[in-house]
Amino acid sequence: MVVSRLSLYLAFPVALIAFWPADGPDQRWLLIPLLGALWLGQIFALHQWIRASRWLLIPTGLLTLTILASYLVAETWLSADIWQRWLDHLPGNWELFRSRPPVLSLCMMFGLTLNVLLLSRLGLGSPILLLLVAMGGVWLSYRSLAPPPEYASSTTAVPLAILAALWLFWSAQCLALLPTLHRYWRRILPPLAVGGLIALLAMISWQEQRQTDNLRLYDLAAGEGNDIATRMASETASHFKAMRRFTSFWNMLGYIPSRSEWEQQAKLYHDDFGYFRNIAFIDLEGTVIRVYPLRGNQKVLGTNLYLADSQDRAALDHPLVYGIEGQTGIVDFIQGGRGVISYLPVRDVVDGTLRGAVGMVVSVDKLLNSLLAQTSNQDRAVTLSGDRQLYFHYGPLGNLADWQYQQPVTLGADLLTLRVAPSLHWLQVQRSRLPEITLAFGILLAYLLHMVLYIYRRLAHQHRLANRANVSLREEMKERERLQQEIEWIARHDELTQLPNRRELLRWMDDHRDPLPLALLICDLDHFKSVNDHFGHLEGDRYLKTIAQRCRLPVERAGGLFARYGGEEFVACLPNCDRQTAGEIAEALRRAVAESGLFLPGNVPVTLSIGVSITDEPPIRRDRLFQAADDSLYRAKQGGRNRVVLTDAS
């Protein structure tokens, strides 16, 4: 008893050491007042002032639970921003990420408080409470002494003085209960062992889930970094490909363009790629004689790049001397700013004579800002650096995670490093609540199971395990049924357009051979390859989905089936449809595509060519029906596209 009181008297003064020296508000500013209230409540209980102890400890326990709830409540119910706004009402600069104590320290605080409120009685679960506190203390001690986990998304350790105080509180309560434990240990040991095992499994699951969630958050940041890098590579390849087309135009002309000719052609490409600083024409002497746009680039016009204090002379030699493409690394522009310059040689296609070079000037800031504008996440810092120099920074400067994702990227002739560092706010919002829910409910289950086993022993325990097994089996059966339905749907439909696929079309035709006549329409988008080449496959996919939704309605209203046959080719099958009706429906499909608001490069509307075959004589030969429709489609293409050609399948 003397050692128990000594531990209690030492606990709070030891905790106060954590405040020296005092910094800005952090977890200590919450833990030490809670420890002080627990210390006073336990002193009151030691002196049998039970009512005063409860009046002090009940609010302490509720406050501890409230802080613990910030780990458990879903973001959609009570967001991190709301918790932060509550902290903003306190004096000082409180930040949720740094101010909120680790979840295990809160669990230890609540367990010690609850044990005092329960007067350390065996029948009310004091042994399991002290065991749970000890297990949490061991885990918290390890985290406080070991390096923090990689990609941590929350605080995991407490100051050593506070940790020592928690152990002193536990020692005082455990020593006070030790005589009773020694007397009834045979009665307590089996349920205590089971409860401890459940708690251990909950803590292991919590740790694994938290680590998995940390990796998930890292993967999100990595995925965003990869996405930015991929977009950068794709955008670079796209504008380089466009500039090759631009250069080939001047190769065919065979002479140096006039100012008006240059501005007329360069404007089209400059408008397509908003991050171009300018597009210039350099003569064989290295002098810039044409530039678009002129505004903001007056300093460049007339400048001899060989004589100017520029960093791109070696790259300029490639097109002007060797007749090959050249690229700089990141350089400082003459007109201000920095970026990458690509040089493409211009030569006469007849005799191969070099006429000069096209200079494509890409602004790094504009390029990356245009890529980042396509993402919704703003709670992260994105930097681009190389050779100990920072070239680009986007996002917050402070309150960032201790870790960051980095990936090498190539920009021009430089190998750079792209880094993505999430903000602390983003970590708070995105972190999963499941690990802490697993921990909290695992500890609660351990306590309740200990209580049930203490009274009923094995009967209640076996009933709980059987109930869990039944619930798990039902969930597994439901999941298997759902997966089976999903697999069947995927096997019969095109995932992009949500239309039936070729397999479903053929099955449907077999099931709907009657009534005759039967019409088959093969629809093919005209010049659709140019959409993918010019706008990219993502935009091409959007075109296909839009056209699929517009075309399926007329066919389905007529009792037919509209399916994607492959690529940009669609097939409509219409039973009980004569020649006139088939032609009308085909014309409706053609008009629907022409009026869809989708355009090919050059602002030309997307059009549809349709070949139609009709048969009214059984038996239906599916191969002949398809061949006749395909021949009609060929004639529609040969006849100028955007038209319907009908034929009878013999």
Side-chain angles (χ1 to χ4, degrees):
M1 184 63 68
V2 174
V3 178
S4 173
R5 292 191 178 190
L6 180 61
S7 300
L8 179 60
Y9 291 145
L10 286 175
F12 190 62
V14 169
L16 287 177
I17 298 175
F19 257 143
W20 183 267
D23 296 326
D26 57 18
Q27 59 169 307
R28 297 172 298 172
W29 292 52
L30 290 177
L31 281 176
I32 289 181
L34 292 175
L35 287 172
L38 175 59
W39 183 74
L40 281 176
Q42 197 163 339
I43 291 290
F44 291 162
L46 185 64
H47 291 84
Q48 299 300 314
W49 300 339
I50 304 302
R51 181 172 296 180
S53 175
R54 288 177 177 173
W55 275 103
L56 185 61
L57 292 180
I58 289 176
T60 302
L62 292 177
L63 180 58
T64 305
L65 282 179
T66 301
I67 303 173
L68 187 60
S70 66
Y71 282 99
L72 308 178
V73 178
E75 179 72 14
T76 54
W77 295 358
L78 203 60
S79 67
D81 291 332
I82 295 178
W83 291 105
Q84 183 60 54
R85 283 200 294 270
W86 290 350
L87 288 177
D88 290 340
H89 292 296
L90 300 176
N93 185 23
W94 293 77
E95 295 178 4
L96 181 62
F97 189 92
R98 295 186 174 90
S99 303
R100 186 166 54 176
V103 64
L104 276 181
S105 65
L106 295 171
C107 291
M108 290 180 67
M109 279 290 307
F110 185 74
L112 293 170
T113 303
L114 184 60
N115 188 50
V116 177
L117 288 172
L118 296 178
L119 303 177
S120 297
R121 294 180 180 175
L122 292 183
L124 297 179
S126 286
I128 189 64
L129 285 175
L130 293 175
L131 178 61
L132 294 174
V133 170
M135 295 173 67
V138 171
W139 213 298
L140 191 61
S141 300
Y142 167 72
R143 279 300 174 205
S144 298
L145 296 173
E150 193 175 17
Y151 315 132
S153 60
S154 62
T155 306
T156 59
V158 297
L160 294 180
I162 292 179
L163 181 63
L166 288 170
W167 277 115
L168 287 172
F169 277 115
W170 177 83
S171 300
Q173 295 185 18
C174 191
L175 290 172
L177 190 65
L178 192 59
T180 307
L181 291 175
H182 183 265
R183 183 176 180 181
Y184 296 103
W185 70 271
R186 287 187 178 87
R187 184 187 304 175
I188 298 169
L189 188 59
L192 194 63
V194 174
L197 179 61
I198 296 296
L200 179 62
L201 293 176
M203 289 184 178
I204 293 174
S205 299
W206 161 71
Q207 182 66 15
E208 289 298 321
Q209 290 175 1
R210 175 50 54 213
Q211 182 63 22
T212 300
D213 190 57
N214 289 342
L215 293 175
R216 178 185 67 86
L217 295 177
Y218 174 79
D219 289 340
L220 285 178
E224 186 168 0
N226 287 330
D227 183 58
I228 296 171
T230 301
R231 288 173 183 268
M232 183 186 301
S234 175
E235 197 67 29
T236 301
S238 177
H239 72 239
F240 214 94
K241 184 177 180 180
M243 290 310 298
R244 287 193 178 108
R245 292 196 300 270
F246 177 74
T247 305
S248 66
F249 176 79
W250 303 113
N251 290 337
M252 291 186 292
L253 286 183
Y255 61 84
I256 297 176
S258 66
R259 176 180 175 181
S260 61
E261 290 175 332
W262 182 259
E263 291 182 351
Q264 181 181 4
Q265 292 297 323
K267 182 179 185 302
L268 301 175
Y269 290 85
H270 186 272
D271 292 345
D272 284 342
F273 302 97
Y275 46 82
F276 278 4
R277 184 65 184 270
N278 64 66
I279 304 174
F281 186 89
I282 302 103
D283 65 13
L284 293 176
E285 301 299 325
T287 302
V288 179
I289 62 172
R290 302 284 182 265
V291 64
Y292 182 86
L294 185 59
R295 184 178 181 180
N297 297 289
Q298 294 89 341
K299 291 183 179 180
V300 179
L301 189 61
T303 300
N304 189 301
L305 299 181
Y306 282 118
L307 300 179
D309 185 17
S310 62
Q311 307 167 42
D312 53 356
R313 297 172 186 169
L316 190 58
D317 281 341
H318 283 75
L320 297 183
V321 178
Y322 308 112
I324 60 176
E325 297 174 353
Q327 274 190 318
T328 69
I330 296 183
V331 297
D332 295 322
F333 298 148
I334 297 173
Q335 65 273 40
R338 59 174 50 164
V340 176
I341 306 176
S342 301
Y343 296 106
L344 294 86
V346 177
R347 62 172 73 245
D348 194 322
V349 294
V350 177
D351 56 11
T353 304
L354 285 172
R355 301 292 185 185
V358 171
M360 176 180 58
V361 182
V362 176
S363 170
V364 173
D365 289 344
K366 289 184 178 180
L367 172 60
L368 286 171
N369 280 319
S370 67
L371 296 177
L372 294 173
Q374 302 174 30
T375 63
S376 59
N377 180 19
Q378 304 299 319
D379 286 335
R380 44 89 174 100
V382 179
T383 60
L384 187 68
S385 60
D387 196 20
R388 300 182 180 178
Q389 186 173 4
L390 180 65
Y391 293 116
F392 177 82
H393 181 276
Y394 177 91
L397 295 173
N399 291 329
L400 300 175
D402 295 333
W403 53 269
Q404 60 184 358
Y405 171 77
Q406 62 183 35
Q407 176 180 346
V409 295
T410 301
L411 193 58
D414 284 346
L415 181 62
L416 307 174
T417 301
L418 178 71
R419 292 183 174 87
V420 178
S423 68
L424 299 181
H425 175 266
W426 182 81
L427 291 179
Q428 294 289 353
V429 171
Q430 294 293 329
R431 67 192 300 274
S432 172
R433 273 59 175 170
L434 181 61
E436 278 68 34
I437 291 175
T438 300
L439 176 65
F441 280 91
I443 291 175
L444 179 62
L445 178 62
Y447 175 80
L448 294 177
L449 191 59
H450 170 270
M451 296 301 298
V452 169
L453 288 176
Y454 188 77
I455 300 172
Y456 300 105
R457 295 289 180 92
R458 291 187 176 181
L459 181 62
H461 184 215
Q462 291 175 354
H463 176 73
R464 187 182 298 273
L465 293 177
N467 186 53
R468 287 182 187 171
N470 290 334
V471 171
S472 176
L473 181 60
R474 285 195 298 270
E475 292 296 327
E476 183 177 355
M477 294 174 64
K478 290 180 181 178
E479 182 65 15
R480 288 187 177 183
E481 182 179 356
R482 185 190 66 80
L483 290 175
Q484 182 64 30
Q485 293 173 353
E486 184 177 348
I487 291 171
E488 291 176 359
W489 188 91
I490 292 175
R492 293 185 285 107
H493 290 79
D494 174 58
E495 200 166 355
L496 174 64
T497 61
Q498 308 296 305
L499 292 176
N501 57 17
R502 182 185 302 190
R503 178 185 298 175
E504 178 64 10
L505 171 68
L506 298 179
R507 185 198 64 79
W508 193 88
M509 290 181 66
D510 291 340
D511 294 341
H512 295 79
R513 291 177 176 272
D514 295 316
L516 296 177
L518 179 69
L520 185 73
L521 288 69
I522 299 182
C523 313
D524 188 85
L525 294 173
D526 299 325
H527 303 295
F528 190 75
K529 185 177 182 298
S530 63
V531 174
N532 288 329
D533 292 343
H534 190 79
F535 300 120
H537 287 277
L538 289 178
E539 186 68 8
D541 290 347
R542 185 182 74 83
Y543 275 39
L544 291 174
K545 289 190 284 187
T546 301
I547 291 169
Q549 294 305 315
R550 292 181 68 91
C551 291
R552 72 183 304 173
L553 295 178
V555 175
E556 292 176 355
R557 280 198 296 263
L561 182 74
F562 190 71
R564 186 181 182 191
Y565 205 65
E568 63 269 20
E569 196 172 74
F570 301 87
V571 174
C573 184
L574 297 162
N576 196 22
C577 181
D578 57 20
R579 183 183 184 88
Q580 179 180 352
T581 304
E584 293 172 353
I585 293 175
E587 282 295 329
L589 297 181
R590 187 190 64 79
R591 288 195 301 272
V593 172
E595 299 168 0
S596 63
L598 304 176
F599 294 92
L600 299 172
N603 207 28
V604 178
V606 174
T607 58
L608 187 69
S609 297
I610 304 175
V612 183
S613 64
I614 302 101
T615 182
D616 55 1
E617 297 179 2
I620 295 175
R621 296 287 300 274
R622 196 167 60 195
D623 53 345
R624 292 185 180 179
L625 194 62
F626 272 90
Q627 184 62 47
D630 196 64
D631 292 341
S632 298
L633 177 63
Y634 177 77
R635 290 198 298 274
K637 293 284 189 179
Q638 291 295 316
R641 295 181 171 84
N642 191 22
R643 62 190 63 236
V644 176
V645 175
L646 290 83
T647 187
D648 294 323
S650 57

